[in-house]
Amino acid sequence: MNSYASLCDDFGVSTYVHGKLEMPTGRETVLHFFEAVQKVAPKMTEFEKRSDTEYMLEEDRESGSYRWTSLDHRRLSAGFVNPPTLEDADQHNERVLEIAPYHLDLNGMQTESMDVLYYFDFLYQGNHDEVVAEALTSGTPLEGLVQVPAARVLHYQPTMMLALDDACQLQARLSIETRTNAYQVRTNSFSESPVTVYFTVRQFWGKQPFKSFAESYHNQRRVLDELVSTYVVPQVINPLAKAISAKQ
């Protein structure tokens, strides 16, 4: 079972290949690529052209658990929302990474970096920034600011980046996205929307020891899971989930 699914409302595993050059977006190339993806994932039937340079193929979202793949002029993306297991997400993402070089003429020389990330969505109808600050500043020098009488937090989206090797080629990034604005705080009128925690492991290309995107993905996902299970879940995810639960 996917052990992360019980920690939040929605959980996803995604990968992004960032190109130095523009990705091919010609009609035949795009169709052949997505047809190849569909052959290994026949339930991915929802195809959409979102702009002149962005295309998306995904499964039906109504089930709550679905795979997706997208292509735009500088990025190839794939992911699995609420995967039954992490291995299911790996299987989908690795297949896309294995197919892409043959259909998109994608290679290491034209690749800038590759990301593998987890994201955790927490649905909350209230001041997102305030609940994140309450959850993550407790016991820190910032705790006093959160408790200033009559003050209300308008913006708190902490971000941290780490270099995981001496050459700074392998990096990790924690970021939290809130969706509350000043108008909602002023009127005390909040819609239910997700607070999202992202944790990304990025491999810059060129001097990496991996021969293929799938091989790098496997290593990045391993590092990602180690950091998330050891640090992010106990120190970010659990406190945030507890703070949101206490307000509902």
Side-chain angles (χ1 to χ4, degrees), residues 10 43 46 58-67 81-82:
D10 287 300
K43 292 183 179 180
E46 306 297 317
E58 62 185 5
E59 293 178 321
D60 184 2
R61 295 190 177 197
E62 293 300 318
S63 66
S65 174
Y66 60 93
R67 291 169 287 188
V81 178
N82 296 318

Side-chain angles (χ1 to χ4, degrees), residues 33-50:
F33 168 66
F34 283 113
E35 286 170 356
V37 173
Q38 193 175 62
K39 284 182 180 179
V40 297
K43 292 183 179 180
M44 296 180 69
T45 59
E46 306 297 317
F47 180 71
E48 179 183 1
K49 182 180 180 181
R50 293 191 164 182

